[in-house]
Amino acid sequence: MYSEKVMDHFTNPRNVGEIENADGVGQVGNAKCGDIMKIYLKIDDNIITDVKFKTFGCGSAIASSSMATEMIKGKTIDEALAVTNKAVAEALDGLPAIKMHCSVLAEQAVKSALYDYAKKNNIEIEGLEDFDPNEDVHEH
């Protein structure tokens, strides 16, 4: 049912925790089903130098968070924005259809943290013009 990579990132999640005085913090989730994801970013010269996450949710949500942080660490803001939920799911060697919403949450959490960074620094990030961090895109 779950790939070895999903199980590995669930049982040994990478980049767990929080960053004090983070440059960007994004939180997304749906209290109805219980998945809540928070991502913290440290950004220096347009590069994500550190990323941490805290996720309350199922194994797929934790694995998706862990993989998403691995995929954006060391990347530019534009490269991080290009990480889609499909890319997260593929990097995990797939998720069951009923758990794909977890990879969507990971993508949205990254965007939310970058949106927060842009707001704090009074800058515009191409690709986030129409992003609404309060929009609930979490569907089952």
Side-chain angles (χ1 to χ4, degrees), residues 2-17 37 51 53-73 87-95 102-103 106:
Y2 290 108
S3 72
E4 283 184 33
K5 279 191 185 175
V6 171
M7 294 306 295
D8 181 39
H9 277 268
F10 167 62
T11 56
N12 305 296
R14 283 63 150 183
N15 306 307
V16 175
M37 207 174 275
V51 56
F53 80 93
K54 285 187 167 181
T55 293
F56 182 85
C58 66
S60 294
I62 292 165
S64 293
S65 303
S66 175
M67 181 57 80
T69 62
E70 288 283 280
M71 292 173 77
I72 67 170
K73 196 174 199 173
V88 172
E90 285 172 11
L92 287 168
D93 292 337
L95 286 170
C102 296
S103 63

Side-chain angles (χ1 to χ4, degrees), residues 56-57 125 136:
F56 182 85
I125 296 175
D136 185 8

Side-chain angles (χ1 to χ4, degrees), residues 3 48-49 54 65 69-70 77 98 103 106 110-111 128 137:
S3 72
I48 297 169
T49 57
K54 285 187 167 181
S65 303
T69 62
E70 288 283 280
I77 289 172
I98 197 164
S103 63
V110 169
K111 285 183 177 175
L128 287 179
V137 296

Side-chain angles (χ1 to χ4, degrees), residues 77 81 110-116 118 124-132:
I77 289 172
L81 268 180
V110 169
K111 285 183 177 175
S112 183
L114 289 170
Y115 180 86
D116 182 57
E124 273 195 31
I125 296 175
E126 192 176 329
L128 287 179
E129 302 88 359
D130 298 324
F131 180 74
D132 179 358

Side-chain angles (χ1 to χ4, degrees), residues 37-55:
M37 207 174 275
K38 194 168 193 176
I39 289 191
Y40 303 81
L41 301 176
K42 197 68 166 160
I43 300 173
D44 293 312
D45 289 330
N46 201 39
I47 304 287
I48 297 169
T49 57
D50 198 10
V51 56
K52 301 275 187 217
F53 80 93
K54 285 187 167 181
T55 293

